[in-house]
Amino acid sequence: SLRRDERGTAYVLLKLNKSGKVLSYKLENGTNRRLLDEEAIAVVIRCDPMPAFPREIEHDEMELRLPIAFNIR
C-alpha cells in the first residue's frame, strides 16, 4: 500500500458490551482499497477487548461508528 500511495478512511460499525468486548463489527464504508479495508477490520480484532465503559455510562451495550484513517507520512 505504501508503494502505491494508498490512503483513505474506513468506517467500521461495531457493537461493544460494557466490559469492552466487541460483540460484532462490519465495514460500513470502505476506502475502495482492499488491503486498507482488510486492515481496518484487523485493527478492531486486535483491539478486542477495548476499555470498559466508565461507570457513568449505564448502557449494557453501545454501537459506535469508528473512523480508521490511513495516511502516508
Side-chain angles (χ1 to χ4, degrees), residues 16-62:
L16 306 170
N17 68 14
K18 72 181 339 174
S19 67
K21 174 79 178 136
V22 176
L23 302 174
S24 65
Y25 57 86
K26 73 173 185 175
L27 186 65
E28 186 181 51
N29 292 95
T31 63
N32 294 320
R33 305 286 188 190
R34 183 183 55 80
L35 292 175
L36 297 182
D37 293 344
E38 288 174 358
E39 183 58 24
I41 294 298
V43 166
V44 171
I45 292 168
R46 284 194 305 269
C47 291
D48 184 21
M50 302 214 177
F53 298 175
R55 289 187 189 135
E56 297 82 25
I57 297 179
E58 297 179 8
H59 302 289
D60 290 331
E61 295 179 354
M62 191 177 301

Side-chain angles (χ1 to χ4, degrees), residues 1-2 5-7 69-73:
S1 290
L2 183 60
D5 194 32
E6 293 180 333
R7 59 184 90 204
F70 298 94
N71 295 304
I72 299 173
R73 291 185 182 187

